[in-house]
Amino acid sequence: MYIFEPISTEDILRRLSENCRSRRLEKNMSQKSLSETSGVPLSTIQRFEHTGEISLAGFVKVARALGYAEDMMQLIGKPKYSSLDEMVRINKNKSRVRGTDERS
């Protein structure tokens, strides 16, 4: 499988955890307070800020508690194109409900 982005998964996880920690601190929230507000266990918040590991549901709860629900709704909301051919193919397939592994 070809990954189009040159940024590693680990880099993305690290950046997300750093950003969440920064937003938490800007709001003067402790990890415990974020845990109570989000419903995510304190140990999970600590692990997330230290390693970047968290479930998607946990991440969404943390993001919501920090005031980023609307941003989460926009994530991967619009198609991205790497070429004109890909733009045409994506626009042609917008009404599809199932995918195939066939390449045209």
Side-chain angles (χ1 to χ4, degrees):
M1 174 174 71
Y2 178 74
I3 303 294
F4 295 101
E5 294 288 336
I7 303 168
S8 73
T9 300
E10 292 76 21
D11 289 340
I12 294 169
L13 294 174
R14 185 171 36 263
R15 177 69 60 86
L16 288 172
S17 68
E18 289 170 357
N19 288 350
C20 283
R21 181 175 187 273
S22 294
R23 301 300 77 80
R24 176 180 65 76
L25 293 173
E26 288 167 357
K27 292 178 180 283
N28 199 29
M29 292 177 80
S30 66
Q31 289 177 333
K32 183 178 180 192
S33 175
L34 180 58
S35 170
E36 291 167 354
T37 304
S38 66
V40 174
L42 177 58
S43 60
T44 300
I45 298 217
Q46 291 169 334
R47 184 179 67 244
F48 174 52
E49 289 190 2
H50 183 70
T51 68
E53 294 179 17
I54 194 169
S55 71
L56 179 58
F59 180 72
V60 170
K61 288 176 182 180
V62 166
R64 285 185 64 231
L66 292 172
Y68 290 88
E70 211 40 57
D71 297 270
M72 294 301 296
M73 295 295 290
Q74 298 302 317
L75 190 62
I76 313 177
K78 298 178 186 174
K80 287 198 170 194
Y81 318 112
S82 61
S83 68
L84 185 57
D85 289 337
E86 185 178 36
M87 182 186 77
V88 169
R89 187 173 57 250
I90 286 173
N91 285 323
K92 177 181 158 194
N93 292 331
K94 278 192 176 185
S95 61
R96 288 190 62 97
V97 293
R98 290 185 3 191
T100 64
D101 290 331
E102 297 175 15
R103 304 285 181 210
S104 43

